[in-house]
């Protein structure tokens, strides 16, 4: 970018250097812990505590992964699969429902529209964790705690997703287009799935990703609902392992490797979908 | 967030078109929202009005209506209030630090001073992909006096002591969310029309002046949004301190309000825990709502 230089070139160089130093130090702050986790997951138990933390010793990653997958009949893989089911399907369905609801609120006029939107908006301000205990009480009425559904179903609800979907639907789906589709004789629901959904795609990817992260990271709900190890998401599983480290020292290596492997899917998802969510992220505030 | 503050009231009766389609669009979310949002709230309120009564010492416990007695107990519960005080202290310090940091990085990223924007944007955002539990496990080791790669420092300064652990946890939360908040502010900055800055620059304003008197006021709505989410998040703090319990005894089982709810429900005293949940939800709601109102009023001047 070419700039009209306002100050003296020396002053400009100083600001530039100061800015880059701040950026550099921040990069270290954000990435060194992850680097440490990667390096740590390549080390044997003995070398983990005896060698320097930020650089490699003998490369033991594959052996560690092998041990991780073998431990306790491969329960780690089960946890990863559970997390992918909870977060993947939960976010997929949740996004669809939020999109439909937000779209209806944006594109149709009907009595109670503002009321519904305000109730949903109130839902954004009610923290999900405040609902964990009452949800447990309700599910226990039906003897349904400690089941897949007790974590999956509540995860489908995303009031913030509705809020975003409404904003995006008003901004990206022109009324004229809907009128044209109507003149062509297409039904409302079909128009949504064939035309509007496509126009809303960047928004939907954003909603999906953030709901995916919210479910993947959710800790209180599975903590309070689940007793059966085989239903745990990976976060809860690693948490229980980590609290056993003092009794079973060899499990520490597994916690480190398991933690490292568990963050890879999310990082890949964010990197590969960034061209979608980048545009969508600020929408909640800009519009 | 202007769309929310302008309710369009229509007094005229217009026949509703596409009723069936609207119902199809609304139904799935509405059903789930009612079942897993509204019903639990109602249930929590209902449960919080019950008390357990026993017939004699060994009699079967039965739940009977107890009015607001559980709320009286909540207000007398010292552990609960000290946990609330702790997260408020946490929030008063951590939220401004985190958002200030996020704002600084967003402004730098938006300024012509920085090269390699794409890389920095991603690097700062990566921690957001790390779940709170994992981040807490990671930092727990980084803080550890003997296993940390910075043991030279951590063996001399105890980051897991009762006086310091709250701020050690604050660092974990900051580490996770700075990049996320930065991106929200940064996208708001990108959306600003560049003509505004051109005019200021021709008038001789430097980058800092432009940032301070033009950019920050214009992205205030984005900062408000991040602040609200941060306030909600602070009051809900659970995963990070819960994980730290396996690294240090400085974190009690009632360290944060949500941990108190969990510990109380495990006793088990579900009615008291439900009353705490209700108080907590109302407090969160009021705080974020008030903050929203205050900042909006300011903007209207």
């Amino acid at each position: 970018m070419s700039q009209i230089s306002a100050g003296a070139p020396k002053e400009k160089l100083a600001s530039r250097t100061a800015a880059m130093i701040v950026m550099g130090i921040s990069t270290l702050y954000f990435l060194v812990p992850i680097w440490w986790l990667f390096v740590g997951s390549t080390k044997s138990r003995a070398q983990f505590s005896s060698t320097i933390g930020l650089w490699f010793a003998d490369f033991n990653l594959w052996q560690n992964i092998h041990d991780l997958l073998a431990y306790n009949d491969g329960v780690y893989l089960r946890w990863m699969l559970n997390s992918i089911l909870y977060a993947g399907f939960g976010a997929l369905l949740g996004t669809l429902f939020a999109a439909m609801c937000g779209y209806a609120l944006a594109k149709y006029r009907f009595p109670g529209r503002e009321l519904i939107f305000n109730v949903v908006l109130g839902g954004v301000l009610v923290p999900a964790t405040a609902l964990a205990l009452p949800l447990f009480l309700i599910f226990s009425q039906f003897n349904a705690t400690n089941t897949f559904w007790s974590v999956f179903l509540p995860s489908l609800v995303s009031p913030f997703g509705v809020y975003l979907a409404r904003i995006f639907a008003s901004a990206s789906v022109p009324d004229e287009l809907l009128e044209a589709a109507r003149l062509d004789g297409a039904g409302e629901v079909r128009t949504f799935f064939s035309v509007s959904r496509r126009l809303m795609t960047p928004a939907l990817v954003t909603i999906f990703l953030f709901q995916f992260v919210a479910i993947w990271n959710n800790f209180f709900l599975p903590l309070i609902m689940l007793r059966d190890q085989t239903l745990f998401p990976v976060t809860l599983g690693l948490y229980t392992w980590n609290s056993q480290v003092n009794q079973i020292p060899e499990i520490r290596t597994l916690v480190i490797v398991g933690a490292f492997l568990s963050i890879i899917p999310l990082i890949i998802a964010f990197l590969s979908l960034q061209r979608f969510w980048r545009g969508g992220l600020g929408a909640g505030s800009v519009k | 967030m202007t769309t929310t503050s302008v309710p369009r009231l229509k007094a005229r009766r217009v026949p509703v078109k596409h009723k069936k389609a609207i119902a199809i669009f609304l139904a799935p979310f509405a059903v789930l929202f009612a079942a897993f949002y509204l019903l639990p709230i109602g249930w929590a309120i209902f449960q919080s009005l019950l008390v357990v009564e026993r017939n004699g010492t060994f009699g079967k416990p039965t739940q009977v209506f107890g009015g607001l007695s559980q709320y009286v107990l909540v207000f007398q519960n010292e552990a609960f209030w000290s946990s609330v005080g702790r997260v408020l202290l946490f929030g008063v310090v951590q939220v401004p630090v985190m958002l200030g940091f996020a704002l600084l990085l967003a402004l730098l990223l938006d300024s012509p001073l920085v090269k390699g924007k794409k890389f920095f944007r991603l690097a700062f955002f990566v921690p957001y992909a790390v779940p709170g539990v994992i981040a807490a496990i990671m930092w727990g080791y980084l803080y550890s006096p003997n296993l940390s790669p910075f043991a030279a420092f951590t063996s001399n300064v105890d980051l897991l002591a009762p006086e310091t652990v709250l701020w050690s946890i604050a660092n974990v939360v900051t580490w996770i969310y700075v990049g996320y908040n930065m991106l929200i502010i940064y996208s708001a900055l990108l959306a600003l029309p560049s003509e505004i800055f051109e005019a200021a620059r021709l008038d001789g304003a430097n980058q800092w002046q432009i940032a301070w008197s033009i950019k920050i006021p214009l992205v205030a709505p984005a900062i408000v949004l991040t602040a609200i989410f941060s306030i909600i998040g602070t009051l809900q703090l659970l995963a990070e301190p819960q994980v730290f319990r396996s690294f240090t005894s400085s974190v009690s089982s009632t360290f944060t309000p949500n941990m108190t709810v969990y510990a109380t429900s495990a006793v088990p005293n579900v009615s008291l825990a439900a009353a705490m949940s209700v108080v907590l939800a109302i407090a969160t709601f009021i705080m974020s709502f008030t903050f929203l109102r205050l900042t909006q009023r300011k903007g209207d001047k």
Side-chain angles (χ1 to χ4, degrees), chain B residues 150-180:
Chain B
F150 313 106
F153 177 70
T154 55
S155 56
N156 290 316
V157 183
D158 187 358
L159 295 171
L160 298 168
E163 316 81 59
T164 49
V165 74
L166 185 66
W167 309 115
S168 302
I169 295 172
N171 174 54
V172 179
V173 177
T174 305
W175 180 81
I176 300 175
Y177 290 105
V178 163
Y180 169 72

Side-chain angles (χ1 to χ4, degrees), chain A residues 82 137 159 242:
Chain A
N82 288 339
L137 298 175
N242 190 54

Side-chain angles (χ1 to χ4, degrees), chain A residues 44 69 112 145 157 166 178 226-227 250 255 273-274 278 286:
Chain A
S44 67
L69 300 185
T145 60
V157 189
R166 177 178 144 146
L178 297 185
L226 303 175
R227 292 286 165 270
E250 62 268 26
V255 171
L273 294 173
Q274 57 161 321
R278 248 193 0 240
V286 179

